[in-house]
């Protein structure tokens, strides 16, 4: 197959569709004590230095999880994992709205 790059003088540019673009949200895992774990959504640099682990969840605008990446030694039991995924989906929904608003303002 052949790829042909057209100059904008030859053809009207086509907008890039961003309907299903996943955005990544990091959840920091901080073990408060042996029986309690705190989850931080999008931790700061200072918070990241204290984390025992992290999980990054890629979520699209429809709250569908597209990818998961877990780092660190902190254990993450299934109920905590589901809570982290739900937090990431909520944050991603806010981020998708912000991206959509920024793109609409640029038109």
């Amino acid at each position: 197959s052949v790829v042909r790059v057209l100059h904008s003088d030859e053809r009207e540019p086509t907008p890039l569709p961003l309907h299903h673009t996943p955005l990544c949200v990091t959840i920091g895992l901080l073990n408060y004590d042996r029986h309690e774990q705190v989850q931080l959504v999008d931790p700061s640099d200072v918070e990241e230095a204290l984390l025992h682990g992290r999980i990054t969840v890629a979520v699209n605008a429809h709250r569908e999880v597209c990818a998961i990446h877990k780092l660190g030694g902190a254990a993450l039991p299934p109920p905590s994992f589901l809570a982290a995924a739900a937090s990431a989906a909520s944050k991603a929904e806010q981020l998708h709205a912000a991206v959509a608003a920024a793109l609409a303002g640029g038109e």
Side-chain angles (χ1 to χ4, degrees):
S1 88
V2 176
V3 175
R4 184 167 175 228
V5 179
L6 300 173
H7 190 274
S8 60
D9 293 339
E10 296 177 62
R11 184 173 168 191
E12 185 70 27
T14 305
L16 178 66
L18 294 174
H19 302 294
H20 298 286
T21 304
L23 296 178
C24 292
V25 177
T26 298
I27 307 292
L29 307 174
L30 183 62
N31 294 333
Y32 184 68
D33 62 26
R34 264 195 249 163
H35 305 292
E36 187 175 352
Q37 185 178 72
V38 177
Q39 295 184 359
L40 304 171
V41 178
D42 278 339
S44 69
D45 292 341
V46 174
E47 291 168 335
E48 281 202 15
L50 302 172
L51 296 178
H52 297 108
R54 63 185 54 86
I55 181 170
T56 300
V57 183
V59 184
N60 68 17
H62 304 289
R63 297 179 63 98
E64 297 169 333
V65 174
C66 302
I68 298 167
H69 188 228
K70 164 103 170 46
L71 294 173
L76 193 62
S80 297
F81 171 78
L82 293 175
S87 296
S90 294
K91 181 66 175 183
E93 199 169 37
Q94 295 170 9
L95 293 172
H96 278 287
V99 169
L103 291 174
E107 290 181 1

